[in-house]
Amino acid sequence: MKKLIAVAAIAVALFSTAANAQAIRIGTEGAYEPWNYVNADGNLAGLDIDVMNELCKRTGLECTFVQTAWDTIIPNLNAGNYDVIAAGMSITDERKEAINFTADYSPPEASGFMMLESATVDPANLTGVKIGTQTGTIQDAYATENFATGNTLLTFDTASNALADLMAGNIDVILADSSYIDEAVANSGGALKTSDVTVAIGGGVGAGLRKADTELLAKLDEALAAAKADGTIDALIAKHFPTRKGPFYVN
Amino acid sequence: MTETFEFWVSYLTNGRHLNWYASFQYTVIAALLGGAFALLFGIGGAALRNSSLPPLKLLGTIYINMVRGVPDVLFFIFFPLAFEQLVELVIAQSACPAGGGAGVWPPCPEANWFLGTGEYLLLASVSLGIVYGAFTANVISGALNSVPRGQLEAARAFGMTNWQVLSRVHIRQMWVYALPGLSNCWLLLIKATSLLSLLQITDIVRGANLLGAPNFSRTAGVIHGDWRWGYYLALLLFYILVTYLSEKAFAAITRWASRGMPMAERV
């Protein structure tokens, strides 16, 4: 047993950098514009990235980003693959059972519907249609609860794969965050449309932390409150979401 | 697709694409390292199975028969996870206070073993090695039995020791019979490297999916529809190229292994 422990200790020393209290890892998906994505230069960008960089600057933490798949993003946080989730994740009671959230850095927003321009789907009265959502999102849960009877529900591992299937006619409508839909519709060259029908789900977007990391949570929350009060967060929201009317956090 | 040549050059050399080109190294490393492990486990497994000691023989037979029957995808996700948690369990024995953290894993933050791309790549290679090592072991064990008995008897008649017979005649001639089977194992292993994205590695398959999926965001670069077919086609060509090069390499190795063996050269 002693020998095994020694071997394991050497393995850990070799493979991981020494635990530095000032260094944290941030998990993000990198495939959900304009929240988090890889830009043309090959770097992570988006509101989640900018907000976290701002908070890291204010707290003096040394932050590195880890790209990870969305559907396992919470289990991988709890398994210790990274210390913070910043991935456009809405604060919900269900998720709060597994992880803690900071205060919101983006206020609650409605979810909308996206269809092909030629589609005759009526989002106010969905029957007999194929509805696409991203796996494990609040829209996924909402659709399962409200649209399961009489419709076909399909889930996708990334938002862009759902979009590809919508373009190919494999699904009729996508339910997603309005901010994501507005961005996609505006740049689709008339191929896509949305509707005025929206549904209110979720309670704002925050960063997720392990239940045990209360000290880090307090630190981030303090910096976030300051960044909200001086208008930094509002400016970042305006930068990434031209269509959302602020200010949200400065009185 | 009426864009100019300049557009395509700049599009295909932007940072996102450079990241994708760089990720081909993961596939190549996993294949080569996995192949080396497979050969190692294969030789070990064959040695166990052909052993004259019943417990070792049983161990070799169990390894070869059991692992060959488990889907590689399952093994690929099972082994790295199990290994990580085993290491964490061992660290927790000394690093964690007793009885803490029921229902959570790891039991305490000190016992956490962080796995980055490098560690996952190594674990993936070992997984590939274990799975394809079982096939390789079967091939090598069959090849050892295919060497004509007369050759071995003649070697003994010349007064060679058991070790000399094994190294100079038995293993030396075994390769000719093993190589066709080994080339099969190698190509199967190369195909299995497309599973790397299961282990949080942004490999060529996941990269192609992300790059090819429609992009309607101004800030994420060129706006385009579903281009995944183009990227999948590139992967297809890459794998065909690797297969072609592998066949060439195996042909050369076979020529080398069958030198001085007129019986083998005829086949």
Side-chain angles (χ1 to χ4, degrees), chain A residues 27-46:
Chain A
T28 193
E29 188 197 8
Y32 195 58
E33 306 90 2
W35 293 91
N36 55 79
Y37 55 91
V38 179
N39 65 15
D41 296 333
N43 301 319
L44 282 166

Side-chain angles (χ1 to χ4, degrees), chain B residues 145-163:
Chain B
N145 293 333
S146 300
V147 176
R149 301 241 142 203
Q151 295 278 342
L152 306 180
E153 281 161 13
R156 272 186 218 108
F158 272 108
M160 287 188 183
T161 62
N162 277 342
W163 175 250

Side-chain angles (χ1 to χ4, degrees), chain A residues 5 12 15 25 31 33 37-42 68 72 76 78-81 160-161 163-164 167 183-184 187 192, chain B residues 14-16 19 90-91 105-106 112-114 119-120 122 200 209-210 213-220 223 226 228:
Chain A
I5 293 171
V12 170
F15 288 135
R25 295 190 189 84
E33 306 90 2
Y37 55 91
V38 179
N39 65 15
D41 296 333
T68 184
T72 51
N76 278 336
N78 283 328
N81 287 8
S160 53
N161 278 349
L163 189 53
M167 307 279 290
E183 177 79 15
N187 293 295
L192 298 170
Chain B
N14 69 16
R16 286 188 88 175
N19 285 353
V90 171
I91 306 172
W105 193 268
N112 179 43
W113 179 26
F114 172 72
E119 291 86 56
Y120 271 128
L122 191 61
Q200 307 285 320
N209 196 351
L210 289 173
N215 173 39
F216 289 151
S217 164
R218 295 155 290 121
T219 42
I223 287 172
D226 194 349
R228 284 179 301 183

Side-chain angles (χ1 to χ4, degrees), chain B residues 11-23:
Chain B
Y11 174 69
L12 291 173
T13 56
N14 69 16
R16 286 188 88 175
H17 281 84
L18 293 183
N19 285 353
W20 186 52
Y21 303 144
S23 72

Side-chain angles (χ1 to χ4, degrees), chain B residues 139-199:
Chain B
V139 168
I140 291 179
S141 141
L144 283 172
N145 293 333
S146 300
V147 176
R149 301 241 142 203
Q151 295 278 342
L152 306 180
E153 281 161 13
R156 272 186 218 108
F158 272 108
M160 287 188 183
T161 62
N162 277 342
W163 175 250
Q164 282 174 327
V165 173
L166 185 70
S167 63
R168 292 190 190 178
V169 181
H170 205 167
I171 292 181
R172 168 69 183 78
Q173 298 198 13
M174 174 273 286
W175 290 112
V176 174
Y177 303 97
L179 279 168
L182 290 181
S183 121
N184 274 347
C185 293
W186 168 247
L187 289 179
L188 288 171
L189 186 144
I190 289 189
K191 289 201 286 186
T193 57
S194 58
L195 301 173
L196 285 181
S197 61
L198 292 177
L199 295 179

Side-chain angles (χ1 to χ4, degrees), chain A residues 64-86:
Chain A
T64 48
F65 286 92
V66 180
Q67 231 183 308
T68 184
W70 166 262
D71 54 0
T72 51
I73 204 163
I74 291 180
N76 278 336
L77 171 77
N78 283 328
N81 287 8
Y82 34 82
D83 308 298
V84 177
I85 295 173

Side-chain angles (χ1 to χ4, degrees), chain A residues 104-108 205 228-229 233-234 237 247-251:
Chain A
D104 57 306
Y105 56 79
S106 174
V205 167
K228 277 158 115 175
I233 300 292
D234 279 338
I237 293 176
F248 297 105
Y249 294 118
V250 176
N251 299 323

